[in-house]
Amino acid sequence: MLKPKEWLAHPLTRGLALDDPRTTERRRAIIQTKPFLRHLYEDWYAALACAVPPGAEPVLEIGSGAGFLSEFIPGLIASEIFPCPGINVVLDATRLPFAEASLRAIVLTDVLHHIAQPRAFFAEAARCVRPGGVVAMIEPWVTPWSRLIYTHLHHEPFRPEAATWEFPTSGPLSGANGALPWMLFARDRAQFAREFPEWRVQKIQPGWPFRYLVSGGVSMRALMPGAATGAWRLLESELQPWMATWAMFAEIVLVRVN
């Protein structure tokens, strides 16, 4: 008999390792067949698209994986660390194959906290993004509510108390510290500013306390119908003044200064 956690696991990815490229491919199908989850991604992607400045230079997405951001940003360069369908280029985020000042933006959705060497990534991003360009991301955030959820109900490591930004990794997806974005841009924000004067934090908008959780995410069965999106979106909007307590994610936008 399956245990509750095993029953909740989505049958398309049950038994597959996180670092198996087939997991990423099947998660693409999961997002498309879970309307409630797809609506959440649409909200995230709309926010990222709004953060991208106008210009002729291309936009690079790191860790495109199972997503569909190209529907929101025309000409997007979709990348992943291993070959999988729908990807334009395979690359390592710490060694970007682009010329200096050749990009107007780099965008990430739930990816930064998987980059074990964030200093190398932000140095490379500063080299490749033109002045006035941005790094825009949706990432996990640390609050009393998210500490409870990420610590007890999520498979990825979540260590807000970690002394360093770097972390050991066993693979491109299995290695992580879900608290890394908060460490960089809240706990250690002054240190980040000293080490990376090329980047100015333009926006940190915490939010989304419930929708990813009740959607079942990309690893569990659908827990909500698509028709429930409006009600949950309204609830999260009403809670916006208290996101310091309730947020599970944050939209973070950095601007490349001259």
Side-chain angles (χ1 to χ4, degrees), residues 87-179:
I87 299 303
N88 303 119
V89 60
V90 175
L91 55 74
D92 182 335
T94 64
R95 293 189 294 273
L96 298 177
F98 298 95
E100 293 184 7
S102 62
L103 302 174
R104 63 187 161 111
I106 296 175
V107 291
L108 311 89
T109 305
D110 215 21
V111 169
L112 177 65
H113 67 282
H114 288 285
I115 300 177
Q117 302 293 327
R119 286 181 170 88
F121 165 66
F122 284 108
E124 274 291 87
R127 181 183 66 81
C128 295
V129 174
R130 65 159 170 82
V134 304
V135 168
M137 63 197 99
I138 305 291
E139 287 291 327
W141 200 243
V142 176
T143 65
W145 171 244
S146 74
R147 282 177 184 262
L148 177 67
I149 299 302
Y150 288 132
T151 301
H152 298 289
L153 298 179
H154 201 258
H155 63 274
E156 293 176 354
F158 187 77
R159 301 189 179 97
E161 73 288 349
T164 63
W165 300 343
E166 292 76 21
F167 53 85
T169 180
S170 57
L173 299 181
S174 56
N177 181 0

Side-chain angles (χ1 to χ4, degrees), residues 55-70:
E57 304 90 348
V59 177
L60 170 68
E61 182 183 20
I62 302 289
S64 303
F68 53 96
L69 183 56
S70 59

Side-chain angles (χ1 to χ4, degrees), residues 76-88:
L76 179 77
I77 301 173
S79 77
E80 191 50 85
I81 198 167
F82 43 57
C84 56
I87 299 303
N88 303 119

Side-chain angles (χ1 to χ4, degrees), residues 185-258:
F185 306 117
R187 189 193 76 178
D188 300 337
R189 182 166 174 173
Q191 179 182 348
F192 183 87
R194 289 193 302 270
E195 293 194 29
F196 296 99
E198 308 96 328
W199 293 112
R200 175 174 58 84
V201 178
Q202 181 183 68
K203 180 180 184 181
I204 299 177
Q205 183 64 61
W208 303 286
F210 304 125
R211 274 193 285 163
Y212 191 82
L213 182 63
V214 300
S215 75
V218 293
S219 59
M220 292 194 297
R221 299 172 184 269
L223 302 178
M224 282 289 155
T229 295
W232 283 97
R233 189 183 282 143
L234 177 61
L235 173 62
E236 292 186 329
S237 176
E238 292 296 319
L239 286 174
Q240 195 61 46
W242 298 278
M243 285 302 167
T245 298
W246 290 104
M248 282 189 63
F249 294 89
E251 178 193 0
I252 304 163
V253 181
L254 312 180
V255 177
R256 177 70 165 87
V257 298
N258 295 329

